[in-house]
Amino acid sequence: CGREFGRASIEIHEKQCAQKWEESEAQKPVHERRALPERPELKESATREEWNEAAKAIHESQAMVQCSGCGRRFKDESTMHKHQKSCKSSETAAFGGSGARRLPKEVEA
């Protein structure tokens, strides 16, 4: 979920977070469900900062949803769809544009 935890509380958090993820995914249609993000694999000697950084990277790549237009990441599909309604990059990406706002041609000169 992208939150930081210490060694004492991470095991409790992982169980609760996994349960929350599964419950949330179970409410979606089968074709929209995503698998539980994998647990970071680090050595026992990894520091809390290393653990949290690895967990954050996995969260961003596996749990968050990316806008196909601008590349921003969102916590869920619903939030991403709201963003896409106003994402200028989403409109221009399909036409090979850069996504940057441009002035009309008659005003550019």
Side-chain angles (χ1 to χ4, degrees):
C1 65
R3 295 174 54 196
E4 293 187 8
F5 289 89
R7 289 194 184 273
S9 60
I10 190 67
E11 287 185 38
I12 297 167
H13 167 73
E14 284 178 339
K15 290 176 188 173
Q16 292 174 343
C17 195
Q19 181 180 2
K20 184 177 176 183
W21 176 274
E22 295 294 343
E23 289 171 358
S24 174
E25 292 298 308
Q27 294 176 7
K28 296 178 182 180
V30 175
H31 68 278
E32 290 181 15
R33 294 179 188 172
R34 296 180 293 155
L36 182 67
E38 56 191 55
R39 188 175 192 264
E41 292 186 26
L42 296 170
K43 296 177 183 177
E44 282 288 322
S45 61
T47 65
R48 185 178 69 124
E49 289 79 19
E50 291 170 330
W51 179 266
N52 284 326
E53 194 62 37
K56 179 181 176 187
I58 288 175
H59 172 72
E60 289 176 356
S61 67
Q62 296 179 15
M64 296 183 82
V65 183
Q66 187 171 13
C67 173
S68 60
C70 67
R72 282 186 59 193
R73 295 186 175 273
F74 300 90
K75 66 177 184 170
D76 55 33
E77 296 272 342
S78 174
T79 306
M80 193 253 318
H81 288 304
K82 288 177 189 173
H83 157 78
Q84 285 184 324
K85 290 178 183 177
S86 63
C87 179
K88 300 300 178 194
S89 295
S90 294
E91 294 171 7
T92 59
F95 302 105
S98 67
R101 290 186 175 179
R102 295 191 178 146
L103 294 172
K105 290 189 181 213
E106 59 272 5
V107 179
E108 276 185 5

